[in-house]
Amino acid sequence: GESVGLHLPTLSVQEGDNSIINCAYSNSASDYFIWYKQESGKGPQFIIDIRSNMDKRQGQRVTVLLNKTVKHLSLQIAATQPGDSAVYFCAESTGGSYIPTFGRGTSLIVHP
Amino acid sequence: DAGVTQSPTHLIKTRGQQVTLRCSPKSGHDTVSWYQQALGQGPQFIFQYYEEEERQRGNFPDRFSGHQFPNYSSELNVNALLLGDSALYLCASSQRGGRWNSPLHFGNGTRLTVT
């Protein structure tokens, strides 16, 4: 069936480096994509979203890139900090469904 | 502005028992979705409530049921608990309506352990 998946289950970076977390999706009908951050013992926290009529969106220290041609989504975190250590999920939904489908997640580990 | 609140935070039940989990949505939100998150996995959609009705349902058995109240709060009920129901149950709220989706705002979940 249609699914959202991540290329790398774990990403380790040094504090201050830039991090890139990748996500592949298979549902070509998906038109809304969201990145969530989940810290241990907490629920997923919304980071940034992007709609399919855009290919890039920037937030505070984060940038999401969308490549619809290859059905690929990435989250870039600038100047990664220890507080960024968490599991990151990409999620996608189809217009009108209001139900995002989550991938498995990538664990980001930031070394001081 | 209170975010999504869930209760209880932890719960231990025995196989065959029934459980009720509760959720209050973020202020201004009218839609509640429930997700089950097994250890090391992404959240899996159970169902969504809007206007006190179940609007969409994921691939979960009828043992999982829910309710939404006029104040938009919601309950998740699970009957005849199985060991495999042990998971983190997440409630998420959002605003429905309009052409574009709005992001879900999650609570911190209820950790259910079935023994």
Side-chain angles (χ1 to χ4, degrees):
Chain A
E2 305 286 12
S3 65
V4 174
L6 297 173
H7 292 305
L8 298 173
T10 302
L11 178 64
S12 292
V13 300
Q14 290 295 128
E15 181 178 1
D17 287 351
N18 295 331
S19 302
I20 300 176
I21 301 173
N22 295 303
C23 177
Y25 66 95
S26 57
N27 186 353
S28 56
S30 296
D31 60 3
Y32 180 58
F33 304 88
I34 319 104
W35 281 100
Y36 286 92
K37 170 187 179 183
Q38 187 173 25
E39 298 175 275
S40 180
K42 296 186 178 181
Q45 176 187 1
F46 170 80
I47 301 173
I48 192 168
D49 59 1
I50 189 168
R51 306 193 190 282
S52 60
N53 61 349
M54 303 171 68
D55 53 20
K56 180 179 180 179
R57 191 172 187 209
Q58 289 184 294
Q60 187 176 12
R61 282 201 307 117
V62 295
T63 301
V64 55
L65 300 177
L66 175 63
N67 186 330
K68 295 181 288 294
T69 302
V70 295
K71 296 197 212 102
H72 184 267
L73 192 68
S74 68
L75 177 70
Q76 301 178 359
I77 305 173
T80 314
Q81 304 167 0
D84 295 327
S85 294
V87 176
Y88 289 79
F89 293 97
C90 68
E92 55 87 15
S93 66
T94 306
S97 78
Y98 300 95
I99 309 298
T101 300
F102 286 77
R104 186 182 173 189
T106 292
S107 176
L108 175 64
I109 300 171
V110 182
H111 301 281
Chain B
D1 180 21
V4 178
T5 58
Q6 293 187 243
S7 63
T9 56
H10 295 81
L11 202 52
I12 299 174
K13 290 287 189 177
T14 304
R15 275 181 299 175
Q17 287 188 318
Q18 178 265 343
V19 68
T20 297
L21 310 182
R22 296 177 175 82
C23 172
S24 292
K26 179 179 170 66
S27 177
H29 286 184
D30 57 8
T31 302
V32 173
S33 302
W34 286 93
Y35 283 77
Q36 180 194 66
Q37 186 176 25
L39 201 60
Q41 302 295 320
Q44 298 296 309
F45 174 69
I46 303 175
F47 43 55
Q48 184 184 81
Y49 277 83
Y50 172 65
E51 292 184 329
E52 302 179 49
E53 291 187 12
E54 182 183 295
R55 297 292 175 167
Q56 294 194 56
R57 188 179 183 93
N59 188 26
F60 279 81
D62 292 344
R63 297 187 298 108
F64 290 76
S65 63
H67 187 78
Q68 186 180 33
F69 299 94
N71 66 353
Y72 308 121
S73 66
S74 177
E75 290 182 348
L76 163 66
N77 300 292
V78 187
N79 294 322
L81 285 166
L82 304 174
L83 295 179
D85 294 331
S86 295
L88 180 67
Y89 288 85
L90 294 163
C91 171
S93 70
S94 58
Q95 289 177 302
R96 194 175 174 92
R99 177 168 179 261
W100 296 106
N101 295 329
S102 65
L104 300 183
H105 292 255
F106 284 85
N108 286 329
T110 294
R111 172 68 64 187
L112 173 64
T113 302
V114 182
T115 62

